[in-house]
Amino acid sequence: HVHIKKQIPLGAGLGGGSSNAGTFLQHLIANRGLSFDEAHRIAVQIGADVPFFLASAPSWVQGIGEHSRPVPVHPELTKNLRFVLAVPNFATLTPMIFEKYRQGTQPFASPSQRDWGQELGWKELKEYLASSQNCLQSAACDTYPFLAEVLEAFKRTDALFGALSGTGSTCFGVYDTEPAAQNAAQVLTQTFRNGDCSIVVTRTHSAA
């Protein structure tokens, strides 16, 4: 029997359920003799995000999540990189957003051809962000117009990049200093002071 005290809200696009599954598989590896390969096979069957959380490291993920390669991160980036999350007080429905996207008949963008075996520093990160997009973002904003308001609010900050996380409902901004992230959090908190969003400032996984 497994009892989970949820900290990440459901339907927020933050991989909460997948991280629960990945963490439990890590427990089975450490305490019950399950091999990593066996755990990975199970993870792929459970859901696309689970292998990423099983690896528990910054990674480049392809396919339906079954292909995952760790990305080495420069210490300076690890030290200073910050994310600001704006989590609306509602969940989004992934099937509805995918259906909206299919109605537009647009193909998904091609995956990056970058060599992700090289160390990721500020230069590489900024180049990657400059060409990044979430193909489902427009469909999500059409389905849930409030998300467009949140993303517009991020544009009023000094974010290196702002986008929807997965199919939402969380939106996020990327910042290169703690002060920039805290200032952005203040802007967002003031914008959504009626409680429509929860604002969270966090560091990279590597800095945990």
Side-chain angles (χ1 to χ4, degrees), residues 31-140:
N31 298 283
R32 294 292 186 270
L34 189 70
S35 72
F36 182 86
D37 288 344
E38 290 171 325
H40 187 270
R41 284 195 292 271
I42 295 171
V44 172
Q45 294 171 6
I46 294 173
D49 295 337
V50 180
F52 167 77
F53 289 104
L54 177 64
S56 191
S59 303
W60 178 248
V61 181
Q62 293 177 288
I64 60 168
E66 77 278 22
H67 302 301
S68 179
R69 287 186 292 162
V71 176
V73 180
H74 191 280
E76 189 64 25
L77 190 149
T78 300
K79 177 182 176 182
N80 293 296
L81 184 63
R82 298 290 186 274
F83 299 89
V84 176
L85 311 181
V87 187
N89 59 10
F90 62 86
T92 52
L93 297 176
T94 296
M96 185 181 298
I97 292 171
F98 268 93
E99 179 59 30
K100 184 75 172 180
Y101 184 84
R102 294 188 186 98
Q103 291 173 4
T105 68
Q106 291 293 322
F108 282 107
S110 300
S112 170
Q113 299 303 311
R114 182 181 295 277
D115 178 7
W116 291 99
Q118 298 179 351
E119 186 176 63
L120 184 68
W122 283 113
K123 178 177 179 291
E124 293 79 13
L125 176 66
K126 291 178 179 179
E127 287 176 352
Y128 172 67
L129 292 176
S131 61
S132 294
Q133 62 173 313
N134 180 343
C135 296
L136 295 167
Q137 183 169 296
S138 179

